[in-house]
């Protein structure tokens, strides 16, 4: 119990909460989020914080309406206020897992903005982190996937802006279950967590045990440690890229201009990030293929015609690389 509370307390201290701040815990009723809610209420009350909760009801299982109602009652008894149950509609884009996640985060952002919450706390554990890293490795993803989830994440480019806190990334799932048992908190075991039709469940129930059987115990801990190490490197690279973005990327009403000579002189790890950011100003999440196509106009220039990418046209004009759109760009998009 002490480990979970300590993890929450240290994250709140690093984040810099102030007395009177409202924190919202995303709670499903499972052991991880229920332990997080209890620990946050305990630490928050000592620090003069207001602690509430949002229970997102995805409607994907018959019993989840009752689970959400029961969870809300438990949280209210603990002293969390406000406690809200938010039903959402889950689409199909990207599969059930991705669609449910998108719907959940959208609902949490909206309630955080409406209630004036300083941050939303999420119950991701060390085991979740390990699964995320392994999934990223299996998909051939870059550093962002291998870095897993960060303890603190801000979304300045998303409206409404939200800060996400994940205090339990160094806490194992068994510890949150023990916390609930020691506290007399009955938690819900989601049947979806045993459904092998979901990729994350296959990683949890098959891939990780197989790797541990092959190379020995401690794989989840090692993967989580890898994420932490990569996160530090990623933070540095992203910081350097942001400095270059401010220096060489100019945003107009409908176009973004980048100085080619300046871009040529950057390390590929930084130059690619500058291009990715510039493309992202026009919306969406640019792929590596699109970034590489734009870089060809810089590093392999021989008079090519303009590129037509989703939502943006890219043309090299002399010493300038210009990204154009028919849309008016929002002020401060850089």
């Amino acid at each position: 119990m002490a480990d979970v509370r300590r993890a929450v307390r240290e994250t709140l201290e690093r984040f810099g909460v102030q007395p009177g701040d409202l924190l919202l815990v995303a709670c499903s009723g499972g052991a991880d989020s229920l332990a997080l809610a209890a620990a946050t209420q305990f630490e928050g009350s000592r620090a003069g914080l207001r602690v509430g909760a949002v229970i997102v009801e995805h409607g994907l299982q018959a019993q989840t309406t009752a689970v959400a109602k029961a969870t809300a009652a438990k949280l209210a008894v603990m002293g969390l206020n406000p406690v809200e149950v938010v039903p959402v509609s889950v689409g199909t884009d990207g599969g059930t897992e991705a669609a449910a996640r998108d719907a959940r985060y959208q609902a949490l952002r909206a309630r955080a903005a409406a209630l004036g919450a300083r941050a939303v706390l999420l119950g991701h554990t060390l085991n979740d982190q390990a699964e995320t890293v392994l999934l990223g490795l299996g998909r051939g993803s870059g550093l962002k996937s291998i870095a897993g989830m960060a303890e603190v994440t801000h979304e300045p480019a998303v409206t409404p802006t939200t800060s996400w806190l994940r205090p339990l990334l160094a806490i194992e799932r068994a510890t949150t279950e023990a916390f609930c048992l020691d506290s007399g908190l009955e938690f819900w075991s989601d049947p979806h967590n045993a459904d092998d039709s979901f990729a994350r469940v296959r990683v949890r129930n098959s891939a990780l045990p197989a790797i541990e059987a092959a190379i020995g115990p401690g794989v989840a801990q090692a993967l989580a440690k890898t994420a932490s190490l990569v996160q530090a490197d990623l933070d540095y690279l992203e910081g350097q890229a942001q400095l270059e973005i401010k220096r060489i990327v100019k945003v107009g009403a409908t176009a973004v201009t980048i100085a080619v000579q300046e871009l040529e002189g950057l390390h590929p790890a930084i130059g690619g990030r500058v291009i990715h950011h510039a493309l992202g100003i026009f919306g969406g999440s640019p792929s590596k293929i699109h970034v590489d196509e734009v870089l060809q106009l810089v590093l392999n220039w021989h008079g090519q015609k303009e590129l037509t990418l989703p939502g943006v046209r890219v043309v090299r004009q002399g010493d300038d690389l210009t990204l154009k759109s028919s849309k008016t760009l929002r002020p401060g998009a850089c």
Side-chain angles (χ1 to χ4, degrees), residues 55-78:
I55 303 157
V56 178
E57 211 287 86
H58 300 87
L60 296 175
Q61 302 173 72
Q63 68 269 47
T64 54
T65 299
V67 170
K69 184 177 180 180
T71 300
K74 291 174 191 174
L75 296 174
V77 169
M78 287 184 210

Side-chain angles (χ1 to χ4, degrees), residues 177-261:
E177 292 178 355
F179 180 106
C180 290
L181 292 173
D182 291 344
S183 304
L185 295 172
E186 184 178 352
F187 58 87
W188 181 53
S189 295
D190 187 348
H192 277 176
N193 289 333
D195 186 347
D196 280 347
S197 66
F198 298 112
R200 184 174 288 273
V201 175
R202 294 194 298 274
V203 166
R204 179 181 305 156
N205 295 340
S206 300
L208 279 169
I211 295 172
E212 289 209 336
I215 65 176
V219 170
Q221 293 80 356
L223 288 169
K225 182 178 180 181
T226 296
S228 179
L229 294 171
V230 172
Q231 185 70 55
D233 293 346
L234 180 63
D235 288 346
Y236 174 78
L237 290 171
E238 295 290 348
Q240 293 300 112
Q242 286 299 318
L243 292 175
E244 298 299 339
I245 287 164
K246 292 177 181 178
R247 187 172 71 89
I248 70 174
V249 178
K250 308 300 180 186
V251 181
T254 60
V256 174
T257 304
I258 309 173
V260 170
Q261 271 193 329

Side-chain angles (χ1 to χ4, degrees), residues 260 263-264 275 294-301 316 321:
V260 170
L263 194 55
E264 282 179 319
I275 295 295
V294 175
L295 283 173
Q296 286 301 303
L297 297 180
V298 177
L299 305 175
N300 190 26
W301 170 245
R316 176 166 175 170
L321 195 66

Side-chain angles (χ1 to χ4, degrees), residues 8 25 33 61 64 85 88 101 122 134-135 159 172 187 190 227 234 247 250 287-288 301 309 317 324 331:
V8 170
V25 180
S33 60
Q61 302 173 72
T64 54
V85 176
V88 297
R101 182 175 61 249
L122 305 170
L134 196 55
L135 284 165
T159 303
E172 295 186 36
F187 58 87
D190 187 348
L234 180 63
R247 187 172 71 89
K250 308 300 180 186
S287 69
K288 185 178 185 302
W301 170 245
L309 301 176
Q317 298 171 316
K324 302 178 180 180

Side-chain angles (χ1 to χ4, degrees), residues 26-42:
C27 191
S28 66
D32 300 339
S33 60
L34 205 56
L36 175 63
T40 304
Q41 172 61 16
F42 179 85

